[in-house]
Every structure is written in structure tokens, then in C-alpha cells.
Amino acid sequence: FTWSRTSAGEQRDFTFRLIPTASRAAALDPAWVEREAFDAALDQERSRGSQLVMLGGYSSERERRKADWCQENNVPFITGGAATSSIFSNHPVAFGLLSPIQKLAESTMRFLDVKLAALSRVKVVLLVEDVAHGADYRQGIVQYIGNAVSSRFEIVYEGSFP
């Protein structure tokens, strides 16, 4: 397939050849398609002497793979929505427009601490997604409760969902 873009009046066409292996012939794996597109764009831009920058999306699971590819190829990676800490901790080429998800958990707990200051005990039900994003959020909540000056927060039920 071909993807075209126009920048400053210059038309650029990127041609991608997707040749599925036997194991992927029945249904193309989206991660494999993304990697093939990335590799084709990288080859094409490097042959032109251009610097490639990858802009990512929201899904932490998918964006972590992209951060790995960018790290392998020294390509700057910017994600506007994915926030799992594993994207940023080992990838010096990765930048985010959101704080890591553990910071969101800490901010949530600080907000609750202030808003529920009149309560001596706060029971928490903690349900998170069964993905890296959920694990990071859970860890942030648990750390906050464990490090809190007062022990008014108590997790009474904890679970995850797909």
C-alpha cells in the first residue's frame, strides 16, 4: 500500500510492501504491520538523509513496542497519551505529553486526601485494567497508601479486568 503526505508543498509517497509469513497469512498481526510500516519509512527517510520522528498514540501496550523500535534505531518517539512508566524508564529517545501513570495515581490520592479530610477512615476498592497501565496505576495507589503519614486509607478489595 502507499501512504502519501504533503509537507511545505512537497509530495512524499511511502510505499509499503506487506508480505505475510506463513504464520501470519490467515490474519495480519497489527503489531507486525506497524513494524513493517515503521521499517519501510525508516529505510526510505534514511536513504534521503532525513531524520525520522515517530509520533505515538494512546495505548500503552502498543506504544511501548514503538518505543522499543525507536530505541533500537535512535529515532525520537513522542507519545501524546500512553503513560505507562515502562515507555519512559528505559528509552532515552521517548518523550511524553502526559505524566507517567504513577503520577496520576499519586495525584488522585492527594485529591482524595484533601477532599475527604473530615473522614478518619476511607475504604478503597481498587479495580484496574490487566495491562501495564493498570499495574502502574495500582502501584502508585499502593505506594501512596503505604507512604501516607496517616493510615486512613485501606484497600478493602483489589482486582483487575481484561
Side-chain angles (χ1 to χ4, degrees):
F1 65 94
T2 301
W3 173 70
S4 298
R5 71 177 171 106
T6 304
S7 176
E10 180 185 349
Q11 176 75 28
R12 287 196 173 178
D13 295 323
F14 297 88
T15 302
F16 304 100
R17 292 182 311 128
L18 301 179
I19 305 168
T21 61
S23 64
R24 299 175 195 261
L28 290 177
D29 176 3
W32 180 79
V33 172
E34 286 177 339
R35 180 61 192 244
E36 289 294 309
F38 173 76
D39 287 343
L42 184 64
D43 291 344
Q44 195 163 357
E45 288 305 304
R46 284 198 171 151
S47 71
R48 294 178 175 165
S50 301
Q51 172 64 53
L52 191 68
V53 174
M54 173 159 319
L55 302 179
Y58 184 77
S59 169
S60 289
E61 296 299 311
R62 293 176 77 171
E63 301 314 299
R64 185 173 44 204
R65 282 194 308 264
K66 292 175 190 174
D68 289 341
W69 306 337
C70 290
Q71 182 67 27
E72 291 168 14
N73 292 285
N74 200 30
V75 170
F77 174 68
I78 302 170
T79 176
T84 186
S85 60
S86 62
I87 291 173
F88 307 104
S89 60
N90 298 317
H91 300 94
V93 299
F95 304 91
L97 301 177
L98 289 178
S99 297
I101 196 65
Q102 285 178 289
K103 295 290 185 190
L104 173 63
E106 181 182 343
S107 297
T108 301
M109 293 306 296
R110 284 183 179 196
F111 173 80
L112 287 175
D113 228 349
V114 170
K115 289 297 183 184
L116 303 177
L119 302 175
S120 61
R121 298 289 298 152
V122 178
K123 297 189 180 225
V124 176
V125 174
L126 182 58
L127 294 174
V128 297
E129 294 172 276
D130 191 16
V131 294
H133 175 94
D136 284 355
Y137 188 75
R138 179 203 168 277
Q139 183 180 3
I141 298 292
V142 169
Q143 280 180 338
Y144 184 89
I145 291 173
N147 294 336
V149 175
S150 70
S151 60
R152 25 190 232 112
F153 292 101
E154 176 189 2
I155 297 174
V156 293
Y157 180 83
E158 188 175 343
S160 64
F161 57 91

